[in-house]
Amino acid sequence: MKIGVMVKNVPDTESKIKLSADRKSIEMQGVKFVMNTYDEFAVEEALQLKEKLGADTTVTVFSLGPERLVETLRTALAMGADAAVHLTDPAFEGGDSIANAKVLAKAAEAEGFDLILGGKQGIDFDSAQTLSAVAEFLGMGQAQVVTDIEVGGDNTSLKVRRRIEGGDEIVDVTLPAIISCEKGLNEPRYASLPGIMKAKKKEIKKLGLSELGLSADEVGAAGSGTQVVGYSPLKERPPVKMLEGGPAEQAKELVRLLREEAKVL
Amino acid sequence: MANDILVFAEVRDGTFKRISAEMISAAKELAKKTGGGVAVAVVGNGVDAVAGEAASYPVDKVYTVKSPNLDTYSTQGYAQALLAVIAEADPAIVLFGATAMGKDLSSRTAAATGAALMTDCTEIDFDDGTLKATRPVYSGKVYAHVEASKEGLKMASIRPNIFPAAEKSGNSAASTDVSVNIDAASIKAKVLEVVASTTGRKDVTEAEIVVSGGRSLKSEENFKILEDLADAIGASVGASRAAVDAGYQPHSRQVGQTGKVVNPKLYIAVGISGAIQHLVGMRTSKVIVAINKDASAPIFQYADYGIDGDLFEVVPILTEEFKKLLGTA
Ligand SMILES: Cc1cc2nc3c(=O)[nH]c(=O)nc-3n(C[C@H](O)[C@H](O)[C@H](O)COP(=O)(O)OP(=O)(O)OC[C@H]3O[C@@H](n4cnc5c(N)ncnc54)[C@H](O)[C@@H]3O)c2cc1C
Ligand SMILES: Nc1ncnc2c1ncn2[C@@H]1O[C@H](COP(=O)(O)O)[C@@H](O)[C@H]1O
C-alpha cells in the first residue's frame, strides 16, 4: 500500500501569540514550531499500517510552507517514514487552506497513493478544511475525525470510526481515500536515537511551482478566496466576582446571580 | 438570485437541527445587507416532513434533494446534492453550522465550486460588497478577521450558539424539488452504522449549559455529583483532559484543545485548574462559573463568578438550590 501523510508545522500549544503593533500580523519570533498534534496521529497510523501490511508499504510525508518545517519532516522521518517532500515556492505564500490543498493534491496526484492521512485540523488556524479540499481535487472518498481504522477487503477498503456530535459513525471507505485523524486513534511514538541518526541522512525532496506544473495565479495569496486582514486580542472579561460565605451561602448567591444578573437561568 | 443566502439544513434522524434555525437567523441578518432573500437546502431520504418544517420558518424558499442514496450523510452524496441546489438557486453566500457535518461538507463543496470559505466563524457580516468574518485562531488565543477576496460564491460555517435560533413563523415558503441522480457508486465512503454515545445527553458542543469536572473528581463514580447537577439544570457534562486520561470520562466529553470547543451560555468548571489547553475550549462561553478550592487557580481569571471551596461540599448544595429555583426536584 502506498501511503501519503500530510503534516503541518505549527506553533507549539504553549506559545504565547503576540500581535504586531498594527495588528496586521502575528509576531513569530521566539515561537517554537512543532508538528501539528493531530498529524502525529496520522504519521503513527501510517507507520503502524506499514508494520502490519509489510515491506511493500511505503510512507511518504508532505508539508507545504516555509523552511522551518523541514524539522517537522525530519521528525516524521525519524519516527520511521520512508520519504519526505517539502513543497516550497515563493508563489505558495499567503495561501488559504483551499489554495494550499491545490498544491498538496497536485503533489500527491503524481504518486498515486492508496491512502492519504492527515490531522483533523491544524492547531494554528483551526480550519479543518484542507483535507476535504484535497479529497475533492483528487476525486477521492474521505472520512474525517477518525478514531479507529481497520483495513479490509484485501487492502482495498477501510472500516473507520469517526466522531460526530453525540456519537460515532462507522464508515466503509473504498480506497483510495483521505482520512483525517483524531486523538484516540493511537499513541504516537517518539523517534528513537537510531531513527534520528538515519533521518539526518535521508534526502528531503523539494518541489515548487514549475515541478508541480501549477501556475502562480492558482496558488498562494493570488489563488485564495479569502484573506486575513487583521487580528484582535480576545475581549477582556470583567474581573471575577468571588462569592462570600460558607458553601450554603455561596451556592444560594450563585443561583441568584445567574438568574438575576447574568440572566442565564 | 445572486444576492440570496442559502442555508444548508442539517438533518439527523429526521429532525431539523437547532443549528440550522440558528443559521436561518444569521442568513436573515446577511440578507438585509445583500438585499436578497433566504433559502434553505434540505437533503436526504424521506425528508418531506423536515422540508415542510424548514418552510415554516421565516424563509423565502426551500430546495429539496431526495434520494435513497442520501439516506445517511456522506460527503460525496451530500456534496452532489448541494452542488445541484447551488446551481439552481445561484446564491451569493452559503451558510453551514460549524459542526461535524457542516465543516466536512463546506470544504468539499467550496473546493468543487471555487468558493471562498471561512470556517468556524464567531461573527459574520456583509459589507463593502464582500463577506467578512471573525474567527478564533491559534486555539482561540486571538481572533482573525477574514474577508472574501475574490468575486463569486462565498461560504461560511458558523459556530453553534452564536446566533439565536430563528422561531417558526407559521410561514409556508415555496418549495422546489431539485432532481439529481445520486449514483451509489460515486459515494466512496458510506456510513454503515451510527453509534449513539451511551451518555444520553446532548453533545457538549450543542448544549446551552455545560458542567465540566476535572481530575479533582477523583473517580468515575464521583462524576455522579456532576450528573446530578447537570440533571437539575438540563446541562451536558464535560471534562478536562486530566479527567479523561484518568478514565473518569470518555474522550467525547473532553473540552479543550484536543477535545471539543464549546460555546454555551453557561459553563461551570468544577475542580478544573484552567490550563491554557482547557481554556481555549471554553472561554467564549457567555458566562463562566468556577468552583475550585485553590483561590489562586488560573481558571478564576477567566470566570465571571467564582466559588473558592471544596467541590464535594459545594456541588450537592448547589444542585439543591437549582432544583428549588427551577422546580426540577
Ligand atoms: C498538547 C496538549 C493538549 C491538551 N489538551 C487538553 C484539552 O483538550 N483539554 C484539557 O482540559 N486539557 C488539555 N491538556 C492538559 C492541560 O494542560 C491540563 O493538564 C489539564 O487541563 C488539567 O486538568 P485539570 O484541571 O482537571 O487538573 P489539574 O490541573 O490537576 O487541576 C485540578 C484542580 O482541581 C482543584 N481541586 C482539587 N480538589 C478539589 C476539590 N475537592 N474541590 C475543588 N477544587 C479542587 C485544584 O485546586 C486544581 O486547580 C493538554 C495538554 C497538552 C500538552
Ligand atoms: N501546509 C500544509 N502542509 C501539509 N499538510 C497540511 C498543510 N495544511 C494542512 N495540512 C493537512 O490538513 C490537516 C488539516 O489542516 P487545516 O485545514 O489547516 O486545519 C492538517 O492536520 C494536515 O494534515
Side-chain angles (χ1 to χ4, degrees):
Chain A
M1 192 182 282
K2 276 193 87 169
I3 305 176
V5 187
M6 306 283 179
V7 296
K8 197 174 193 183
N9 181 244
V10 299
D12 183 81
T13 67
E14 302 282 345
S15 354
K16 291 243 170 349
I17 299 297
K18 235 180 83 199
L19 301 184
S20 64
D22 64 2
R23 293 191 173 174
K24 293 251 184 274
S25 60
I26 286 169
E27 309 234 348
M28 291 299 179
Q29 298 99 292
V31 171
K32 187 175 156 224
F33 281 83
V34 296
M35 187 189 299
N36 183 35
T37 320
Y38 297 103
D39 303 354
E40 292 180 9
F41 302 121
V43 174
E44 176 62 33
E45 196 63 19
L47 297 175
Q48 289 189 13
L49 285 170
K50 182 179 160 81
E51 284 156 9
K52 211 177 302 168
L53 301 175
D56 59 346
T57 295
T58 57
V59 176
T60 308
V61 289
F62 290 85
S63 193
L64 164 67
E67 195 55 33
R68 61 171 176 251
L69 65 70
V70 165
E71 276 313 303
T72 286
L73 290 174
R74 288 247 178 260
T75 304
L77 289 171
M79 287 168 79
D82 301 294
V85 180
H86 178 192
L87 302 166
T88 170
D89 197 294
F92 297 161
E93 272 168 40
D96 68 5
S97 14
I98 297 194
N100 288 347
K102 272 182 221 154
V103 180
L104 293 166
K106 203 70 185 190
E109 192 175 29
E111 306 259 355
F113 289 115
D114 302 294
L115 174 63
I116 296 175
L117 296 166
K120 106 170 157 175
Q121 74 187 48
I123 62 165
D124 50 356
F125 250 62
D126 296 323
S127 314
Q129 290 177 1
T130 311
L131 295 178
S132 300
V134 173
E136 172 64 25
F137 294 138
L138 295 175
M140 288 186 182
Q142 67 180 72
Q144 302 222 67
V145 200
V146 164
T147 57
D148 189 55
I149 298 179
E150 250 176 70
V151 182
D154 262 350
N155 301 347
T156 59
S157 69
L158 306 176
K159 196 165 146 190
V160 307
R161 178 179 274 264
R162 89 178 196 97
R163 188 159 286 153
I164 60 169
E165 291 82 7
D168 288 331
E169 280 176 356
I170 312 297
V171 187
D172 177 55
V173 184
T174 304
L175 297 178
I178 297 202
I179 303 290
S180 83
C181 303
E182 161 73 319
K183 185 186 173 208
L185 181 62
N186 54 44
E187 283 297 327
R189 69 193 66 191
Y190 291 101
S192 65
L193 197 57
I196 294 170
M197 298 314 288
K198 245 167 69 190
K200 282 194 180 142
K201 289 189 223 116
K202 285 189 194 162
E203 184 212 3
I204 292 178
K205 193 153 101 183
K206 295 201 186 278
L207 296 178
L209 199 62
S210 56
E211 288 91 338
L212 292 170
L214 287 160
S215 72
D217 58 354
E218 50 183 338
V219 299
S224 295
T226 66
Q227 187 191 352
V228 177
V229 294
Y231 295 89
S232 54
L234 298 188
K235 289 168 199 93
E236 293 274 333
R237 280 193 177 262
V240 59
K241 203 176 256 185
M242 295 301 290
L243 307 178
E244 305 289 328
E249 291 135 288
Q250 288 170 319
K252 251 200 178 70
E253 181 63 359
L254 177 62
V255 171
R256 188 188 72 78
L257 288 167
L258 289 177
R259 163 147 293 188
E260 292 171 16
E261 189 178 83
K263 301 194 169 64
V264 288
L265 286 181
Chain B
M1 282 261 293
N3 49 5
D4 289 347
I5 318 296
L6 178 69
V7 170
F8 168 74
E10 187 160 334
V11 178
R12 281 216 192 256
D13 303 325
T15 51
F16 185 81
K17 302 265 290 194
R18 178 194 155 90
I19 182 75
S20 307
E22 294 178 18
M23 290 311 109
I24 290 174
S25 293
K28 296 223 61 103
E29 293 295 316
L30 289 174
K32 280 185 213 155
K33 305 274 184 73
T34 62
V38 173
V40 181
V42 177
V43 172
N45 186 30
V47 287
D48 284 330
V50 183
E53 196 181 335
S56 72
Y57 284 91
V59 299
D60 301 292
K61 197 145 193 188
V62 174
Y63 293 90
T64 52
V65 181
K66 295 178 261 182
S67 163
N69 290 328
L70 298 172
D71 201 31
T72 53
Y73 175 73
S74 69
T75 317
Q76 287 161 302
Y78 274 51
Q80 288 173 59
L82 183 60
L83 292 173
V85 175
I86 291 171
E88 171 101 10
D90 187 27
I93 301 166
V94 187
L95 294 184
F96 303 81
T99 59
M101 196 189 283
K103 287 204 257 185
D104 192 64
L105 188 61
S106 57
S107 37
R108 186 99 193 191
T109 47
T113 54
L117 170 64
M118 315 170 185
T119 14
D120 203 18
C121 306
T122 53
E123 282 174 45
I124 192 147
D125 194 13
F126 187 85
D127 187 24
D128 297 334
T130 198
L131 190 65
K132 301 184 174 181
T134 299
R135 42 186 313 267
V137 295
Y138 295 97
S139 309
K141 289 177 192 167
V142 287
Y143 287 111
H145 304 290
V146 188
E147 291 183 13
S149 53
K150 65 179 180 195
E151 296 289 304
L153 187 62
K154 294 158 184 66
M155 296 185 176
S157 68
I158 304 175
R159 191 174 279 197
N161 290 328
I162 299 288
F163 283 88
E167 304 273 348
K168 287 182 193 167
S169 63
N171 188 19
S172 60
S175 188
T176 307
D177 277 339
V178 179
S179 82
V180 199
N181 177 28
I182 310 281
D183 178 9
S186 66
I187 301 171
K188 305 292 182 198
K190 293 192 180 74
V191 175
L192 301 174
E193 191 189 345
V194 179
V195 189
S197 77
T198 49
T199 64
R201 289 187 193 279
K202 265 196 186 167
D203 192 75
V204 284
T205 59
E206 297 181 316
E208 290 201 315
I209 305 180
V210 176
V211 178
S212 287
R215 191 199 317 263
S216 53
L217 266 292
K218 291 205 186 82
S219 71
E220 188 182 348
E221 295 73 53
N222 285 342
F223 262 82
K224 174 86 172 56
I225 67 170
L226 294 196
E227 301 279 352
D228 290 345
L229 178 64
D231 284 339
I233 47 175
S236 281
V237 176
S240 72
R241 170 163 164 184
V244 170
D245 285 351
Y248 307 159
Q249 289 294 307
H251 180 249
S252 58
R253 283 182 163 184
Q254 182 178 316
V255 172
Q257 195 201 307
T258 42
K260 288 178 173 161
V261 175
V262 302
N263 185 38
K265 65 178 186 188
L266 174 60
Y267 188 87
I268 306 182
V270 181
I272 290 179
S273 59
I276 181 71
Q277 297 91 354
H278 188 80
L279 292 170
V280 297
M282 43 63 78
R283 69 176 167 196
T284 60
S285 306
K286 259 146 239 122
V287 175
I288 298 173
V289 172
I291 302 173
N292 197 302
K293 69 174 180 191
D294 173 8
S296 65
I299 188 80
F300 286 125
Q301 290 166 31
Y302 297 88
D304 299 284
Y305 302 110
I307 292 182
D308 169 11
D310 186 333
L311 72 95
F312 294 103
E313 286 178 34
V314 176
V315 173
I317 302 176
L318 189 57
T319 303
E320 289 313 310
E321 289 297 328
F322 280 132
K323 283 187 191 163
K324 268 193 239 162
L325 178 80
L326 301 167
T328 46

